[in-house]
Amino acid sequence: MAKKSKKQQPGGTPATVALTAAGAAYTVHAYDHDPAHPSYGEEAAEAMGVSPDRVFKTLVADVDGALTVAVVPVAGQLDLKALAAAVGGKRAAMADPALAERTTGYVRGGISPLGQRKKLPTVLDASASAHATICVSAGRRGLEVELAPADLRRLTEAVLAPIGR
């Protein structure tokens, strides 16, 4: 896995800038995004030739009135009850997309768990630990970063919990 520097990433996204600043090892994967594709995550897995259980989507939910980030495999779905339980909450629902975009600084389909405008509580699905590396959005559609799950967890201060189904 190649470590990217700011010099190698002109015009990098907040996610890649955060990774570089933290000295984390990562690889950037770019692909041509097709706006007609029904699933951003599945499109990324197909374009990169990576198993969908190694590509994780970033979802923003409202847990008892507080925005919370959930990072789950694109091959599955988010279990909202499990997410709420992971952060000590009672109820969870998907956040309003416009609010998620304003709060994170990213557009839907390109929300990264890294480099968000406002630091939000984050939960990473426990299945990430089964892989040496996983892929998450690098901050825009058509751009992913591959990194060790432990680095993602450390940089986002994520709780590791079984939140996918």
Side-chain angles (χ1 to χ4, degrees):
M1 199 165 17
K3 181 176 164 184
K4 305 289 181 176
S5 71
K6 286 183 185 178
K7 290 179 184 171
Q8 293 172 306
Q9 286 294 321
T13 67
T16 60
V17 169
L19 285 164
T20 299
Y26 68 97
T27 303
V28 173
H29 298 278
Y31 60 92
D32 291 327
H33 167 62
D34 175 4
H37 201 287
S39 167
Y40 297 119
E42 288 175 12
E43 175 191 28
E46 291 167 10
M48 294 185 303
V50 174
S51 172
D53 65 337
R54 282 191 48 230
V55 179
F56 283 63
K57 56 189 169 187
T58 305
L59 303 171
V60 181
D62 179 318
V63 179
D64 297 338
L67 291 182
T68 303
V69 174
V71 185
V72 295
V74 301
Q77 294 181 330
L78 171 62
D79 181 334
L80 289 165
K81 282 187 176 186
L83 175 64
V87 295
K90 294 183 181 191
R91 294 177 38 127
M94 294 308 298
D96 172 69
L99 178 60
E101 289 180 346
R102 276 194 314 274
T103 304
T104 64
Y106 294 117
V107 297
R108 199 168 62 109
I111 294 177
S112 177
L114 300 154
Q116 295 181 357
R117 183 177 288 150
K118 181 179 179 189
K119 188 163 183 57
L120 298 172
T122 302
V123 182
L124 175 61
D125 186 65
S127 68
S129 297
H131 307 287
T133 61
I134 61 171
C135 298
V136 297
S137 176
R140 72 173 185 254
R141 297 171 189 153
L143 196 66
E144 296 277 312
V145 289
E146 181 177 352
L147 74 164
D151 285 340
L152 178 63
R153 188 172 174 204
R154 177 177 54 84
L155 295 172
T156 60
E157 299 177 13
V159 170
L160 192 66
I163 59 169
R165 58 177 172 186

